[in-house]
Amino acid sequence: MLQSSTEFDAAQRKLSVEAIDEIAQQWARTPPRDFDAWFARHADRLTKIVTAGQMAAVAGANQYVADALDEQGIRAAQVATPNPARLVGVTADGRTIDGLLAQSVIGARARMAQGMPAYQAWQDAGLEVRRVISNEFADSGRAATGIGIVSRLGVGYVRMLTPPSCSRCVVLAGKYYHWSAGFKRHPGCNCRHIPSREDHADDIRTDPEKYFESLTETEQAKAFGKAGAQAIRDGADMGQIVNARRGLTIIGGRAQRTDVYGRQLLTTSEGTTRRGVAGRAIRARGRNSRTTPRLMPEAIYELAETHEEAIELLRKNGYLLDGARKRTAAAPKPAAPKLEPEPPAPAETAPPAEPAKAAEPAKAAKKVAEPAAPPPAPVKPEAPTTEPKAAVPKKARKTSPYAGKSMTELEARLNALVEAGDIGDEFDAVGAEIDKRDQRAKVERDRRAAKRDTKARTADDTYERLMREGVDDEEAIEKAYGVAVPEQRRRNARSYLSGLGYDGKSLDEQVRNWHRDEAHQAWLNAENATNGYMLSKAGEKAGVDPRQLWSMSEDRARKYASEELRGWWDENSRTTAAELKAQLIDPTELARMHSRGRDYLQ
């Protein structure tokens, strides 16, 4: 690894950590009462921190390119002067910094509207801000480095890993890229450019296989998955293992299993076309990808009872190429068989012409002298007879022989064929019908998911528009997301009480638990203020527990409370569970309760 690359990467990481720490200190630790008002007060400060970090990230990029080329002994003329300052103040996708930060706050409000506790939504927003800003710092440094590379003639780059690296980055590393090739990255990617030329790139290439072998088994499993790492150790092609994950069916963030001969296994559609490595391997066995899906490494090691079986399944599913680790290469086409040329057929010899008799020339001369006969009159073709065309019957609609059969019945039939060893035409037809129905179901799921996404985006746009128009936050959420104001308050109240540690199956149960603690604290304070004289004679006679005075009805509390306690209530209030609930969800009712003006001493 080049010394200049190592130093530049370390400097970039340090700048990013310092800026993110400063953002974390500015972010409120407890959720503010009004997210938007808090952000409006702190947006300028947060934006300045981010732009300062961006400026520091791009400042040394052009010098780093020059140092890296010098270290390799490469002379490259610089035909333009980079201006990295143009990268500061905007995100990688062209948005403003404050707009990017505001998106996290908007997302927090949306999650609260869906029932997430306020403290959790705010905490998630803070983590999201730090994550996206970390990405922006890395993208700014990479973009500035890319500009420095473009400004020099004949210079490209080699992708440098900055461990720990993910599996996708590992298989992309170690290659020389033209200056115009985009730098592929994912959120949180920390890979870097190493400026170079193609004829010098071999000296600084990163070998993915050597990087894999440098990791411990735990680190290998973290980057490639436990089964994927084991498959690579068993000789599987790293690119096939990594790329196979692209063909997984993901729903709700989880990989979906497929019913394969009666067992739920992870399968992939990657590489199963006619030209794909796995597709060729499957077809070489006389199968097709519709009825014989490509198993993921996880499924292979789940099925295999011995190491030899695992190796064989890796080969059958296109992961093990000729028993050795190597980059995927197209299989060479078989040479056409060499055919021996056929001997030429003997030429047919015409019989020798007989000598012409002397009389024949005289006859020929006479025939030439005679006038030619007139050509025969042209024969007029007869008109074709037109017969009425026979009516072509309409093609009958093709009906599937499995119409009316449920998926359960089809799968049972497929399993029966497997158990009977009858892997023939019917097996393929049943498998094709199952695949067709699965595809239709997938299309319908995708349509519904797209409809939900469109509805959610529309709601977000409506909410933002209403807030810009000055509409109250609760009213805006109700109009945009369809969550009524009372329901919003109920959800927020439950979230607030859960954050305080008061759980319950309902809001009323949470409020009762909250009131129990509040009443206990009030009882302690009142007992100290009244020197323990808390019950009237009627209360002592009835054997009332003084702690119950905060939970019984107001009339009974007046009857059983001492004069000293009633005076304390006038000064400090007697908080009931109903008042606590109204405090959370119904300000109007709370105001009505307070307007009655309780006087416990009258």
Side-chain angles (χ1 to χ4, degrees), residues 214-520:
S214 70
L215 304 176
T216 65
E217 289 195 6
T218 302
E219 292 170 336
Q220 291 173 354
K222 184 177 181 180
F224 295 87
K226 185 177 180 180
Q230 182 60 51
I232 296 173
R233 289 194 293 271
D234 285 340
D237 180 78
M238 186 183 297
Q240 289 294 321
I241 294 295
V242 173
N243 292 335
R245 307 202 74 81
R246 295 188 303 198
L248 287 170
T249 300
I250 306 296
I251 299 178
R254 296 179 63 87
Q256 301 301 299
R257 291 177 174 259
T258 304
D259 191 333
V260 183
Y261 309 147
R263 296 190 64 169
Q264 296 295 320
L265 301 172
L266 285 177
T267 62
T268 177
S269 60
E270 180 68 22
T272 57
T273 61
R274 290 184 180 275
R275 297 181 181 178
V277 172
R280 294 199 303 269
I282 292 172
R283 284 174 178 79
R285 296 152 50 200
R287 307 292 179 84
N288 61 70
S289 59
R290 293 180 304 173
T291 54
T292 306
R294 186 187 192 188
L295 300 178
M296 288 292 293
E298 289 82 353
I300 288 174
Y301 287 103
E302 183 178 336
L303 288 173
E305 296 182 357
T306 65
H307 186 256
E308 289 72 19
E309 288 183 9
I311 296 298
E312 184 61 23
L313 285 173
L314 287 172
R315 180 176 290 105
K316 287 182 177 180
N317 286 273
Y319 296 111
L320 196 62
L321 308 180
D322 298 332
R325 294 184 197 165
K326 59 183 179 182
R327 296 289 183 189
T328 302
K333 295 183 179 180
K338 196 171 183 180
L339 301 178
E340 294 293 335
E342 296 182 2
E348 296 182 1
T349 56
E354 296 180 1
K357 296 180 180 179
E360 288 182 356
K363 289 181 180 179
K366 183 179 179 182
K367 189 173 182 181
V368 172
E370 292 178 356
V379 180
K380 188 176 182 180
E382 296 180 2
T385 58
T386 57
E387 297 180 0
K389 293 182 179 179
V392 179
K394 291 185 177 180
K395 191 175 181 180
R397 185 175 181 181
K398 192 173 182 180
T399 305
S400 170
Y402 304 106
K405 298 288 186 181
S406 67
M407 284 288 284
T408 303
E409 292 173 321
L410 292 175
E411 290 169 354
R413 180 56 183 163
L414 193 69
N415 293 334
L417 292 171
V418 173
E419 292 175 1
D422 186 5
I423 312 299
D425 293 340
E426 185 182 1
F427 177 86
D428 290 342
V430 174
E433 179 68 19
I434 292 174
D435 290 344
K436 183 170 67 175
R437 294 190 186 187
D438 285 341
Q439 182 61 26
R440 284 202 300 262
K442 181 179 182 300
V443 170
E444 179 61 19
R445 289 195 300 270
D446 292 344
R447 185 190 66 80
R448 292 179 180 177
K451 186 176 180 180
R452 288 194 299 270
D453 291 343
T454 301
K455 183 178 179 182
R457 287 194 298 270
T458 302
D460 291 342
D461 294 342
T462 302
Y463 176 81
E464 294 180 30
R465 176 179 57 79
L466 292 172
M467 293 300 294
R468 288 194 299 269
E469 294 173 357
V471 177
D472 178 73
D473 184 69
E474 290 181 335
E475 184 181 351
I477 291 177
E478 181 174 20
K479 291 181 177 180
Y481 299 100
V483 183
V485 172
E487 178 62 16
Q488 294 178 46
R489 293 174 179 173
R490 189 190 68 81
R491 292 180 182 180
N492 291 338
R494 296 209 64 178
S495 299
Y496 173 74
L497 293 177
S498 295
L500 295 178
Y502 299 111
D503 296 325
K505 296 181 179 179
S506 64
L507 175 60
D508 288 338
E509 184 177 351
Q510 288 180 289
V511 170
R512 286 195 297 271
N513 293 336
W514 182 28
H515 178 260
R516 183 189 60 241
D517 288 352
E518 293 289 326
H520 181 75

Side-chain angles (χ1 to χ4, degrees), residues 519-556:
H520 181 75
Q521 185 61 47
W523 167 71
L524 292 176
N525 295 337
E527 185 180 45
N528 183 57
T530 61
N531 294 321
Y533 294 101
M534 304 180 71
L535 294 175
S536 64
K537 292 182 179 180
E540 291 176 352
K541 185 177 180 180
V544 173
D545 185 340
R547 290 172 293 187
Q548 297 176 348
L549 294 172
W550 276 264
S551 58
M552 61 179 58
S553 66
E554 184 172 336
D555 291 339
R556 293 182 64 203

Side-chain angles (χ1 to χ4, degrees), residues 26-96:
Q26 294 293 323
W27 198 262
R29 295 189 177 183
T30 57
R33 194 171 188 82
D34 187 334
F35 286 10
D36 290 323
W38 181 93
F39 182 74
R41 291 194 303 270
H42 295 82
D44 289 344
R45 175 58 182 161
L46 293 172
T47 302
K48 288 180 180 178
I49 296 173
V50 176
T51 53
Q54 283 183 313
M55 181 62 75
V58 304
N62 190 50
Q63 185 60 47
Y64 156 63
V65 174
D67 293 343
L69 294 175
D70 288 343
E71 193 172 345
Q72 299 171 72
I74 297 174
R75 294 180 178 273
Q78 186 168 357
V79 296
T81 302
N83 182 17
R86 299 295 296 273
L87 301 172
V88 176
V90 294
T91 66
D93 57 2
R95 287 182 289 172
T96 60

